[in-house]
Amino acid sequence: MLGYWLAVVRRLAVPALVTGLLCAAAMVAALVLGDGVPWREAAPQSLTAAAVGALAFAAVLSTATVVRAARTARRYGLALGPEAVALPCVREVRVSGIADRTAFQLTDGVRHAVEKDPVLRRDEVTAFGHGKLDLTVRGPSDTTVAVRVRITTGPERTIAVVEARPTATYKRLDAAACWAVARVLERRIEETLRAEVAEGGQTR
């Protein structure tokens, strides 16, 4: 939890600085232009306003984000960590090579597993093909998460890469929604591929 909060604070450093500068500018305008206070006397008060504004911005937004992220982690049965802040969230599954299965067949199996998952709320499949699955998922608080799954397979190794990002590109903090969706998908994909590995071993 602490690691996630610190990661959020680092992500908010630049917006908080901008907020502080805006507060300082507003204070300078009010003191110098409004009240006729000399610049030298207005500067300390403006710096104080900048610090207070930046700290308040970072404290309020980071606290709200952490509370929502903790709720998301509990809902999905996950442990919240600093990696939950990164966007896009990328997860990778590696299993042994799967005999007699093409990337298309494996992708189709993953798609069925996602559709039947009781936790994920699949919205729409936007692309489906040979080793390629793109879809949107309704995350916590109805956050829409865009997911890309890419599957490659060979005689030695099968690899699935999951990438999740918010559909709203401006949303830099999504309270761990993309991370939670990616982690759940990672589990389902790993279960599906390992079942295929086991089935392939039995048929040989």
Side-chain angles (χ1 to χ4, degrees):
M1 182 77 73
L2 178 60
Y4 179 81
W5 180 78
L6 291 173
V8 170
V9 170
R10 286 194 295 270
R11 176 66 63 83
L12 291 173
V14 173
L17 178 60
V18 172
T19 300
L21 292 175
L22 291 175
C23 290
M27 180 65 75
V28 167
L31 292 175
V32 176
L33 301 179
D35 298 339
V37 176
W39 282 95
R40 185 173 297 178
E41 295 180 17
Q45 298 180 58
S46 300
L47 292 175
T48 301
V52 170
L55 290 174
F57 175 88
V60 171
L61 192 53
S62 64
T63 300
T65 301
V66 170
V67 169
R68 289 169 53 208
R71 190 180 302 123
T72 296
R74 285 195 301 270
R75 176 180 175 180
Y76 288 88
L78 301 169
L80 189 63
E83 71 278 1
V85 174
L87 290 175
C89 181
V90 180
R91 308 294 298 185
E92 185 176 284
V93 176
R94 290 174 173 262
V95 299
S96 303
I98 302 172
D100 302 324
R101 291 290 189 276
T102 65
F104 180 86
Q105 290 171 317
L106 296 177
T107 306
D108 190 44
V110 166
R111 180 174 64 88
H112 284 298
V114 171
E115 290 175 346
K116 294 176 182 177
D117 187 272
V119 175
L120 294 171
R121 295 180 294 164
R122 184 181 61 83
D123 189 15
E124 179 185 9
V125 174
T126 55
F128 172 67
H130 189 83
K132 171 181 171 182
L133 176 63
D134 294 348
L135 65 154
T136 53
V137 176
R138 290 285 180 180
S141 303
D142 287 329
T143 302
T144 303
V145 178
V147 178
R148 288 166 46 98
V149 180
R150 297 294 181 265
I151 299 175
T152 56
T153 187
E156 300 296 329
R157 187 70 61 186
T158 297
I159 302 173
V161 178
V162 181
E163 181 181 296
R165 66 176 72 234
T167 53
T169 54
Y170 64 86
K171 199 164 187 179
R172 299 297 300 277
L173 291 171
D174 70 339
C178 291
W179 167 78
V181 168
R183 287 292 305 276
V184 173
L185 278 166
E186 178 188 16
R187 289 178 179 175
R188 300 299 172 258
I189 291 171
E190 184 171 12
E191 291 169 359
T192 302
L193 295 182
R194 290 198 181 281
E196 292 282 3
V197 171
E199 183 178 338
Q202 291 174 358
T203 57
R204 285 197 291 271

